[in-house]
DNA sequence: CTAATATCAGGACAACTGATATAT
DNA sequence: CATATATCAGTTTTCCTGATATTA
């Protein structure tokens, strides 16, 4: 019992510390022209799942629609994402990737410009990447719902 | 080559998404009386490594001394941390845990009050906790200098 | 009328940069 | 004088809450 609690609280502290450092490093390497973590996440989600409304994106990322708006608006201004009114529901605007963005992502230019991706490739072996990835599902379980 | 790049960029996006969700969930469950992730991290570090200056804590956490000040000051006001002038170097103030704080942490009350710790205990088996912990060293390697 | 979507406006927080005082 | 520590003040970023219009 006390061993388990100790393990969990140490793990919690380590997760917090790693999360904080990650956030600061991402900011450090994110110039004015780079996309924020939330924006990258949205592009990936739109690529994987197709068009979605701002509100549904907000639900998926665990944030408020107003917050997601301020994530998506710059993507529209950059011409990476485009909105079209939903013909069957006049309240909704369906957001999707522009052809330019799809091409950009498929060509891997996004990856090459991304500090974290480069960092992963340089620092971890493929085996380690897979290990980290499978452990990430555990972390996702913690933070979801 | 393209498989490796793809794996790395997907992993990067997953890390970003999990980090963002973690941050929002921590904020959501952090009431006015709770400690911030950075503050928990500082307490753990002081417990593990003993007294340290604000600047050295800032270096360890990867942030600026001015930012660390605003993390440590509330801890002082809560009576969890106390500063004493370094007798051998008049520039420095050595911060350390108060007896109250050491007792509080040893009794595990900190852990029981901590949402993330509770969540880990409820959501993951001990084996999964250990797996996540060993994978966290990989993440730490990514975000450390 | 109630519920869901979108958006405008303002606020809180945790990091940042710049500047200054003091001690080595 | 150059370097390191501490702290004051203001800024930026990214989320938040509250309020309002529109459509289902």
């Amino acid at each position: 019992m006390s061993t388990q609690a100790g393990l969990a609280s140490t793990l919690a502290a380590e997760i917090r510390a790693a999360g904080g450092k990650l956030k600061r490093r991402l900011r450090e390497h994110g110039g004015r022209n780079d996309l924020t973590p939330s924006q990258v996440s949205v592009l990936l989600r739109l690529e994987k799942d197709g068009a979605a409304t701002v509100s549904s994106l907000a639900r998926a990322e665990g944030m408020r629609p107003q917050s997601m708006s301020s994530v998506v608006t710059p993507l529209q201004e950059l011409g990476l994402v485009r909105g079209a009114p939903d013909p069957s529901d006049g309240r909704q605007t369906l957001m999707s990737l522009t052809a330019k963005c799809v091409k950009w992502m498929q060509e891997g230019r996004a990856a090459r410009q991304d500090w974290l991706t480069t960092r992963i490739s340089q620092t971890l072996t493929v085996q380690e990447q897979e290990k980290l990835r499978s452990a990430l599902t555990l972390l996702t379980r913690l933070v979801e719902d």
Side-chain angles (χ1 to χ4, degrees), chain A:
Chain A
M1 188 101 127
S2 94
T3 15
Q4 286 189 29
L7 212 162
S9 70
T10 307
L11 182 53
E14 287 171 349
I15 291 172
R16 272 188 249 253
K21 281 188 188 174
L22 173 63
K23 185 182 129 199
R24 286 188 290 271
R25 290 280 269 163
L26 285 174
R27 172 164 21 192
E28 185 184 338
H29 288 90
R32 258 141 291 300
N33 300 332
D34 283 336
L35 303 177
T36 66
S38 293
Q39 285 168 340
V40 173
S41 201
V42 163
L43 292 185
L44 263 286
R45 190 174 297 277
L46 287 175
E47 188 186 38
K48 204 180 73 179
D49 299 337
T53 65
V54 168
S55 290
S56 68
L57 287 171
R59 275 191 298 273
E61 301 285 336
M63 62 170 67
R64 305 298 155 117
Q66 302 97 313
S67 305
M68 183 53 75
S69 268
S70 65
V71 172
V72 170
T73 301
L75 293 177
Q76 281 186 280
E77 285 165 358
L78 288 169
L80 296 173
V81 155
R82 156 180 55 85
D86 183 332
S88 67
D89 187 338
R91 294 171 304 182
Q92 299 190 10
T93 305
L94 282 167
M95 313 303 301
S96 56
L97 300 180
T98 60
K100 168 188 162 189
C101 181
V102 171
K103 192 169 170 236
W104 184 61
M105 291 174 80
Q106 283 175 351
E107 283 172 347
R109 289 194 220 154
R112 248 167 286 144
Q113 286 187 7
D114 176 32
W115 168 77
L116 185 54
T117 298
T118 310
R119 180 81 182 160
I120 288 169
S121 296
Q122 289 174 346
T123 312
L124 303 181
T125 66
V126 175
Q127 286 74 26
E128 286 170 334
Q129 291 177 33
E130 276 159 6
K131 185 180 171 193
L132 179 53
R133 192 174 191 189
S134 78
L136 261 187
T137 62
L138 299 174
L139 186 56
T140 303
R141 241 165 65 202
L142 287 181
V143 297
E144 265 178 356
D145 172 36

